[in-house]
Amino acid sequence: MTVLALPPLAPRGGGILFVLSAPSGTGKTTLGRGLCEGLPGLRFSVSATTRAPRGHERDGVDYHFVSPERFAALVRDDELLEWAEVHGHRYGTPVAEWRRACADGVDLILDIDTQGAFQVRERMPESALVFVLPPSAAELERRIRGRGEDDDATIRRRLAAAAKELAVVSRYDYVVVNDDLDRAREELAAIVRAERARAARRLAPPGLPTS
Ligand code: 5GP
């Protein structure tokens, strides 16, 4: 006769939010999208933005490109989980992305700035905040300065934005250094697996149906 009883496990629900932030030029979008391709049950959240699409970008795939009026309506109707103004354009995470992820039983990667990250933490305290660091300050500056095609004011603005983002890194839960794409992706995958295995997520709260 078995005398032991295992704790009841919660059904795997999905809907965990993994926030990825980094100064621009750190490769976080490549990292986040690559991770979604390699790890089952993970989806890249598609943000709404008022900025115009760049050459190769597709509506509904890279962003939901919306007018300022439409964005204002999303804010007014509380249809954005978070939103922020970045480099003069507005960006936000549609609540619909999260609802769909829950319905499909998948988790979400949010590639968003630090202002948005802390709003997510406020509204969804159980989210995991990951900051992606470049290999060195010199490398970050080299990437921000680019190929010398941008004017001084633009570069100064980007450097100031990067400094502002770096100043809040200690408020994140995890730090991943993107020195090698494969290695950084594996470290991110480890974070996702560990978060999914947290007792608070795996054990059924009393009174709920179990799997
Ligand atoms: P880009 O215009 O280069 O695609 O993105 C500019 C910045 O906006 C990046 O730092 C990106 O992470 C951030 N961003 C993209 N989508 C969102 C979003 O939905 N919310 C917030 N807060 N930032 C976002």
Side-chain angles (χ1 to χ4, degrees), residues 11-38:
R12 283 200 182 272
I16 306 175
L17 299 179
F18 293 94
V19 172
L20 279 195
S21 305
S24 68
T26 311
K28 75 170 185 305
T29 308
T30 312
L31 195 58
R33 288 201 179 264
L35 183 70
C36 291
E37 280 158 25

Side-chain angles (χ1 to χ4, degrees), residues 72-86:
L74 290 171
V75 172
R76 189 194 58 220
D77 298 341
D78 202 22
E79 282 296 332
L80 298 178
L81 202 54
E82 59 73 37
W83 69 274
E85 190 157 322
V86 188

Side-chain angles (χ1 to χ4, degrees), residues 3-210:
V3 294
L4 296 174
L6 294 182
L9 296 180
R12 283 200 182 272
I16 306 175
L17 299 179
F18 293 94
V19 172
L20 279 195
S21 305
S24 68
T26 311
K28 75 170 185 305
T29 308
T30 312
L31 195 58
R33 288 201 179 264
L35 183 70
C36 291
E37 280 158 25
L39 202 66
L42 202 57
R43 180 181 294 164
F44 200 86
S45 166
V46 181
S47 297
T49 183
T50 58
R51 89 153 159 73
R54 298 187 187 122
H56 58 283
E57 287 180 332
R58 282 175 299 156
D59 188 36
V61 177
D62 298 283
Y63 281 104
H64 301 287
F65 295 100
V66 298
S67 65
E69 293 73 26
R70 172 79 188 124
F71 197 96
L74 290 171
V75 172
R76 189 194 58 220
D77 298 341
D78 202 22
E79 282 296 332
L80 298 178
L81 202 54
E82 59 73 37
W83 69 274
E85 190 157 322
V86 188
H87 307 322
H89 301 289
R90 277 174 286 161
Y91 297 82
T93 304
V95 178
E97 290 282 317
W98 180 73
R99 281 199 213 104
R100 224 175 359 253
C102 292
D104 297 343
V106 301
D107 302 319
L108 273 188
I109 294 275
L110 269 50
D111 171 356
I112 65 177
D113 85 323
T114 51
Q115 309 170 73
F118 298 128
Q119 291 174 43
V120 171
R121 161 154 298 154
E122 278 285 305
R123 283 184 82 161
M124 313 275 240
E126 64 290 351
S127 309
L129 270 52
V130 184
F131 200 97
V132 181
L133 279 178
S136 69
E139 175 61 18
L140 179 61
E141 273 203 44
R142 196 184 61 75
R143 291 185 199 173
I144 288 175
R145 290 180 192 280
R147 288 156 295 179
E149 287 165 7
D150 300 304
D151 57 73
D152 275 0
T154 305
I155 290 171
R156 265 201 308 277
R157 187 171 49 74
R158 283 201 213 125
L159 286 172
K164 215 168 140 191
E165 300 246 295
L166 287 167
V168 295
V169 62
S170 64
R171 292 171 61 193
Y172 277 64
D173 301 309
Y174 299 95
V175 171
V176 170
V177 178
N178 193 9
D179 45 5
D180 172 274
L181 192 58
D182 288 338
R183 197 206 56 76
R185 197 166 37 214
E186 186 39 51
E187 202 165 301
L188 257 182
I191 292 167
V192 170
R193 292 189 193 104
E195 282 290 327
R196 285 175 172 170
R198 289 184 82 94
R201 293 200 170 96
R202 291 303 290 129
L203 300 181
L208 277 192
T210 59

